[in-house]
Structures are given as structure tokens and as C-alpha cells.
Amino acid sequence: MREGSLDAPIRHPVAWQEPDFFDEAQLDAELRRVFDICHGCRRCFNLCDSFPRLFDLIDESSSGELDTVDSKDFKPVVDACTLCDMCFLTKCPYVPPHEFNLDFPHLMLRYRAVEFQKGQISKKDQQLTETDRNGKIVGVFAPSANWANSEKNKFTRPVMEAATGISKEAALPRFAGTSLTLQAKQEPLFAEESAPAYGRRAVLYATCFGNYNNPEIGRAAQEVLTRNGVEVEVVYPACCGMPQLEHGNIEKVAQRAKKVAAELEPWIAAGYDVIGLIPSCSLMLKFEWPLLVPDDLSVKKLSKATFDISEYIVGIAKKEGLAEGLAPLEGGVTAHIACHARAQNMGQKAAEMLRLIPETAVSVIDRCSGHGGSWGIMKANFEVALKVGKPVARQAVKAANQHIASECPLAADHILQSMQRLDSDAPLPNKTTHPVELLALAYRTGDELRAAAEAEAAAEAAKLEADQQAAEQ
């Protein structure tokens, strides 16, 4: 037996349809097997709060070993896991194909699936995961909802905290009055026929966040892609199911995977690539869905056809070259690489894409923001989330760039909140962006500069002509 594996990690399908998956005695035995290996290794001590909780639990037991830890005390360890996959992909030496066969995130998922099956996930938490329904309803009242959701609102947020458990201090995503799919229909953008990548065709999977909360990300992606000759169709069959996965509702996620994959299959058959706007959603389509429904051919096809937005644009730059017209961005950019972007094992594509903008300094932070999806906004976790993300906030303040960008918009807002809490007199940006928004901004800035130069040249030519006419007279 080797101490650690030098082979590339592989993941086995999640056996949630097998009866033993929900057997509590077998689950406890597997938890103890894995936790004991983690106790002896401890390489993940500086990742999410699951590992400090686990190690403290063992160290404070009567024997200092796992054998004197009560199984009921495992729950806080499970609850702290955000399913970021960083332990599996970047730290653990015992993941498959190593014979220890550790997959800590999927073991935490199994624990939550058992909880869900037993009815231990509250109705309140389940309702919060219904992002499509919530987005459609709340979008109708977006201005009022955004007023009520603001962390600066001292009237509504304490009430919300009491009712939902969401911290009154956590920044929450705003809602859009008009969805991305509707905006794309009302104001279509067309591929530039003279652009280098003309002939490419892609479906932009809007994602629940991009559709209902921040359509500007999708519109920016459309701008950049069509500018580079890509025919873009914005499609949104349903949410990817990541919110349900966090709570162990695997069956619903599997149903969602089959539905979305079936609706996107005709596009793929017609030669369209599929592009995800948010890394968590791209991760689901690429990697998680095939592990939940490994025998579904439509899901397999979708997995192979899916790209993250930054990954796709970098691919254009390398193969065909980007369309000209990018202008430098003043003040520089701090680019945070989101955990679910890292989990796609594609490299720092957001940073690669931003470095395509000429004469623009790009500082990269490759560390967890501490947000962890819905985990970081809950009252019970918010302060811990800020603590986990504090090193990122310090790096961002030190970089002192004008723009803060992350492919995960929730992580970006959490970083900005963490920066605001630091004892620093450094000037801070007043908002965060998605990297593709900055690329679109660089193109728009270039257009404005060219238009201004052309107007100046035209004015100079007109003045010269007028001077000549005056001289002739």
C-alpha cells in the first residue's frame, strides 16, 4: 500500500439508488472509517470548518481518538461542509484510485441524504432552495424585495432572520425585474460575421442566478460572444439543483438533471456548445449530474458539451483569436478563483481571460472566500464564513485594485463584506463584478475611445476645411 496516491483523482457514481446507501449503521461505519483516516492525516485543517470541528471533536474526547466520540456529535462536522470539493481535488492523498477510497464531500452528501429521507430537513430550508419559483414570484416585486432584502434595512432584516435563520448582516443577491431570458428575447444580439470565431454556435445556460438575480452577467456574456462571432441562444429549462443537493435531496436533483439534459439535447445535436454562467452550475452539468444519473445518455452528452463562460472565451482566444477592440481598464483587477471553478480542473480561466485585456494589471486570489453557497448567509454560520474568508479579504485590500471580480457573484459580495470589516483605511470598490462583465466593459470602453477619436478627427478635418475655405476667400 502506498502512502498517498500519485494518480489523477477519479470519482465513483453516487450510489443513492442502492438500499445500503440509506442504511444508517453502514453510514456510521463509513463515517468512522473516513474520519479516522482524516484524523491521522490532517492535511485539510485549513480548508472549510468541517475539519477543525472534526479534529477538535477527536482531540477533546476522553481517549483523544475517534473511538470515544459519540456518533451524534458528527452532525456539526457534516453541517460545516459546503460541498466545495476542494479537499477531494487539492488536498486529500487518499481519493480514488487509492485503495482508501475517500470522497469526503460525497460522504457528507450521503449523510444529508439520510437526513432528508428521514424528514429532518426543515420545510423552511427546503422552500429557500426553490430558486426558480422564488425568482419568478419575487421578480414581480423586485424593487420592494430588494429594499426589504438589503442588509442596511434595520426593519425587515431582523424579522427575516427570525423567520428564516438568514443572518441580518449577510449581503443577499438582488432580484431583477426582467429575467435574462426575456431580455435576450426583447433585445436580441447577433453574431458579428467578420469576427474570428464566426461560425461557432452556443447555448447560454442562464442559471437561476443569471436569470432572476443578475441578468447583467448573461448580457455581458452575450455581448462578448456575439462580438467574437458566436451565435448565442439564451436557454433556461430549470435550475441545476445545486441548492437541493446541499440539503441531500438527490432524487430531485436527478430529476432536474434529466429534464434539463433532455431539453438541451436537440441543441447539442444541432452543433451548439453549452455555456454555463456560474461555476457551480457548470460543475453540476459537467461532473455532478453524470455521477448521480450515470446511465442517462442525454446527461452524458451534455457533460461533454458544457463549458464555463471563462473557459469558452479563453478557448476562442487560443484557437481563433479574440476580436479587436479591447481597451485597458484603469485601476487593475483582483480576480478571485471560485472553488467550483477550481473543482472543474480547468485552470484559472477567469484570470487567463482577464489577462487578455491589454495593459491591465490582474491580481489573482486562489483561495476559498468562505461563502459556501447558502451556508455562509445563515446566522449560525455567517461569522465563521467571514473568518474563513478573512485571508482573501486581506489579499484583496493589499492588492488595492479598482475592480473585484469573481466567477461566483455570491463569493464576490462576501469578499467585499469581509473587506469592509477589516481595520483598514484603504479605499474599497463599491461593487463587485463577474469577470465577463469586465471583458464586456473593456470592449465598450474601446468603442467609446474609438468613437471619441473619430469625432475628434472629424472635428479637426472640418476645422481644417473651414480654415482652407476662409483662406481661399
Side-chain angles (χ1 to χ4, degrees):
M1 181 184 298
R2 291 183 297 174
E3 177 60 28
S5 177
L6 298 177
D7 299 312
I10 59 173
R11 272 193 139 156
H12 301 306
V14 179
W16 64 278
Q17 292 179 299
E18 300 294 329
D20 289 349
F21 186 82
F22 295 95
D23 185 283
E24 292 185 63
Q26 293 192 40
L27 171 60
D28 186 68
E30 181 64 4
L31 285 165
R32 289 185 172 276
R33 183 187 79 85
V34 170
F35 285 176
D36 197 44
I37 295 171
C38 293
H39 163 48
C41 175
R42 303 204 175 199
R43 287 185 62 180
C44 291
F45 74 94
N46 62 345
L47 292 181
C48 74
D49 208 44
S50 283
F51 298 100
R53 292 185 187 189
L54 173 61
F55 303 147
D56 288 348
L57 189 65
I58 296 171
D59 294 342
E60 293 168 6
S61 68
S62 58
S63 67
E65 298 292 340
L66 193 64
D67 60 347
T68 52
V69 175
D70 196 312
S71 295
K72 66 178 176 58
D73 295 327
F74 291 162
K75 181 169 171 53
V77 176
V78 178
D79 287 347
C81 175
T82 62
L83 301 182
C84 74
D85 287 340
M86 288 300 95
C87 57
F88 183 91
L89 286 166
T90 69
K91 289 281 188 177
C92 184
Y94 303 122
V95 300
H98 191 277
E99 49 226 286
F100 284 0
N101 193 29
L102 257 70
D103 190 333
F104 192 94
H106 280 177
L107 181 58
M108 301 301 99
L109 173 63
R110 181 180 177 185
Y111 187 105
R112 292 175 186 175
V114 170
E115 285 186 315
F116 186 87
Q117 189 186 61
K118 294 170 65 178
Q120 294 177 347
I121 305 299
S122 71
K123 295 294 182 183
K124 170 202 68 181
D125 288 340
Q126 291 183 52
Q127 295 310 309
L128 291 174
T129 69
E130 296 295 335
T131 52
D132 286 341
R133 181 204 62 194
N134 297 343
K136 290 175 183 175
I137 294 174
V138 179
V140 177
F141 313 100
S144 299
N146 293 333
W147 170 81
N149 281 350
S150 172
E151 66 274 18
K152 297 177 182 177
N153 194 318
K154 304 304 179 184
F155 300 100
T156 57
R157 286 300 295 270
V159 175
M160 183 187 297
E161 180 179 275
T164 66
I166 297 173
S167 170
K168 63 185 179 183
E169 298 181 46
L172 298 179
R174 296 173 61 81
F175 286 89
T178 307
S179 68
L180 173 59
T181 50
L182 184 56
Q183 289 187 32
K185 184 177 181 180
Q186 292 175 340
E187 302 175 33
L189 298 175
F190 302 99
E192 292 281 351
E193 295 185 14
S194 60
Y198 183 71
R200 285 194 184 222
R201 298 191 293 176
V203 165
L204 201 61
Y205 175 57
T207 76
C208 60
F209 187 90
N211 201 41
Y212 300 117
N213 297 107
N214 194 341
E216 288 83 1
I217 298 173
R219 294 299 282 174
Q222 281 184 282
E223 280 186 49
V224 172
L225 292 170
T226 54
R227 175 85 172 234
N228 281 276
V230 183
E231 177 191 328
V232 179
E233 298 287 344
V234 178
V235 178
Y236 184 59
C239 169
C240 69
M242 175 60 83
Q244 284 80 19
L245 192 72
E246 289 179 341
H247 290 294
N249 190 354
I250 300 178
E251 183 175 5
K252 187 161 189 174
V253 180
Q255 292 170 354
R256 196 73 57 81
K258 292 178 180 180
K259 169 184 169 61
V260 174
E263 291 196 32
L264 292 179
E265 186 172 15
W267 293 100
I268 297 170
Y272 283 75
D273 301 314
V274 178
I275 303 173
L277 286 175
I278 308 298
S280 296
C281 311
S282 302
L283 180 72
M284 291 290 282
L285 272 61
K286 286 183 180 181
F287 298 111
E288 294 291 354
W289 284 0
L291 296 175
L292 298 179
V293 281
D295 297 326
D296 190 291
L297 294 179
S298 297
V299 169
K300 288 182 179 179
K301 291 177 183 177
L302 177 57
S303 172
K304 293 178 180 178
T306 298
F307 299 84
D308 188 84
I309 179 63
S310 301
E311 176 188 21
Y312 195 79
I313 292 171
V314 169
I316 292 175
K318 290 182 176 179
K319 186 175 181 180
E320 294 97 348
L322 286 188
E324 295 180 354
L326 289 167
L329 295 180
E330 292 185 7
V333 180
T334 295
H336 168 252
I337 309 300
C339 293
H340 282 167
R342 296 170 65 191
Q344 293 177 54
N345 199 27
M346 61 184 180
Q348 298 179 344
K349 288 296 181 285
E352 287 185 54
M353 182 179 73
L354 289 169
R355 289 190 181 111
L356 297 171
I357 303 173
E359 301 173 37
T360 300
V362 178
S363 306
V364 178
I365 301 178
D366 193 359
R367 184 167 179 155
C368 177
S369 71
H371 191 273
S374 62
W375 180 87
I377 64 172
M378 306 308 291
K379 179 183 178 181
N381 305 324
F382 182 62
E383 291 300 327
V384 176
L386 290 173
K387 178 184 176 182
V388 173
K390 197 170 185 178
V392 173
R394 284 174 175 160
Q395 289 183 58
V397 169
K398 185 178 180 181
N401 288 317
Q402 185 174 326
H403 303 280
I404 301 287
S406 176
E407 294 159 295
C408 176
L410 299 177
D413 289 343
H414 184 74
I415 292 168
L416 185 56
Q417 271 203 297
S418 299
M419 293 170 68
Q420 292 166 347
R421 287 191 169 209
L422 293 177
D423 185 16
S424 172
D425 296 328
L428 302 179
N430 56 17
K431 68 173 186 176
T432 62
T433 54
H434 188 288
V436 77
E437 291 182 277
L438 294 180
L439 199 67
L441 175 61
Y443 271 124
R444 289 196 293 270
T445 302
D447 291 342
E448 291 169 2
L449 291 173
R450 277 190 302 279
E454 289 171 1
E456 184 179 352
E460 185 66 28
K463 181 178 182 301
L464 182 61
E465 184 178 357
D467 290 344
Q468 289 176 343
Q469 290 176 351
E472 291 173 359
Q473 292 175 356

